[in-house]
Amino acid sequence: DTGVSQNPRHKITKRGQNVTFRCDPISEHNRLYWYRQTLGQGPEFLTYFQNEAQLEKSRLLSDRFSAERPKGSFSTLEIQRTEQGDSAMYLCASSSGTPDSGNTIYFGEGSWLTVV
Amino acid sequence: KQEVTQIPAALSVPEGENLVLNCSFTDSAIYNLQWFRQDPGKGLTSLLLIQSSQREQTSGRLNASLDKSSGRSTLYIAASQPGDSATYLCAPWANQAGTALIFGKGTTLSVSS
């Protein structure tokens, strides 16, 4: 396994522009998660997929945010009309099985977004 | 709604000390609890996972315990080293449909040589 891969690692964008992040999970992992983390805080849950189905979305995921996992493999997180408050690190993670199966969740290195 | 608190928020110790990091959570109905390490500007690295039926897990110098009924977990680090300096995060997984790992703010550890 090559681990969870996220691209781009860093993105600087002007307020109002759209940005898209990509996550490639560990192969064969059926679950994929997106989190957001700001300085000094723990990661905050945004959404997760089981295969291609988006099973839960946090209230943090406003209508400017959309996530997809079209073929149950990679996922994209798009932020439309970015605001300065969107500046954060966006973390992707993946796991196999179900929560009670005791399988570890593996995180990527994150994608840093700076909105200027 | 699950809430996770980690105490202390920051900790500085000299090399060689044994130390304990504390984690408490409000919803004791959990599948498991994971401890992670995060280096500055990096992603999270899983350290230990404790199933709800287990009391503790060990990996090298790390030992994590879980008291599900009281909503507490501790991470014990033996013989600390400068390379242990990082932020440590705990995350329980509540066994309610549709939830995921919920994190505390972490404990930032600094080990001086």
Side-chain angles (χ1 to χ4, degrees), chain A residues 8 12 28 43 68 80 88 100:
Chain A
I12 300 174
E28 308 303 323
E68 295 183 341
Q80 296 181 326
D100 58 346

Side-chain angles (χ1 to χ4, degrees), chain B residues 1-56:
Chain B
K1 177 188 172 185
Q2 181 74 278
E3 293 183 5
V4 180
T5 302
Q6 291 189 245
I7 295 172
L11 183 62
S12 292
V13 300
E15 183 176 8
E17 278 206 3
N18 302 325
L19 53 101
V20 175
L21 308 182
N22 297 291
C23 170
S24 61
F25 46 95
T26 55
D27 184 350
S28 62
I30 62 171
Y31 288 123
N32 59 57
L33 184 144
Q34 281 189 236
W35 281 92
F36 293 86
R37 167 187 173 137
Q38 186 173 34
D39 293 298
K42 302 290 188 181
L44 281 66
T45 300
S46 180
L47 297 173
L48 290 164
L49 181 149
I50 310 177
Q51 288 281 70
S52 61
S53 58
Q54 297 174 320
R55 297 284 294 183
E56 64 179 62

Side-chain angles (χ1 to χ4, degrees), chain A residues 33 35 37 41 56 99 105, chain B residues 31-32 38 46 93 98 101 105:
Chain A
Y33 315 82
Y35 284 80
Q37 187 177 25
Q41 302 295 315
E56 187 180 6
I105 291 180
Chain B
Y31 288 123
N32 59 57
Q38 186 173 34
S46 180
W93 193 315
L101 287 179
K105 292 184 179 181

Side-chain angles (χ1 to χ4, degrees), chain A residues 78-98:
Chain A
E78 181 184 17
I79 308 173
Q80 296 181 326
R81 306 181 303 281
T82 52
E83 302 172 355
Q84 287 187 323
D86 297 331
S87 296
M89 180 165 66
Y90 291 85
L91 290 158
C92 178
S94 70
S95 69
S96 60
T98 54

Side-chain angles (χ1 to χ4, degrees), chain A residues 33-52:
Chain A
Y33 315 82
W34 285 100
Y35 284 80
R36 180 175 71 183
Q37 187 177 25
T38 53
L39 285 175
Q41 302 295 315
E44 297 173 295
F45 170 72
L46 292 178
T47 188
Y48 89 91
F49 294 83
Q50 181 163 307
N51 299 313
E52 65 274 12

Side-chain angles (χ1 to χ4, degrees), chain B residues 11-21 61-62 75-81 84 109 111:
Chain B
L11 183 62
S12 292
V13 300
E15 183 176 8
E17 278 206 3
N18 302 325
L19 53 101
V20 175
L21 308 182
R61 295 182 292 107
L62 305 179
L75 179 67
Y76 176 83
I77 303 176
S80 58
Q81 303 172 356
D84 295 331
L109 172 66
V111 182

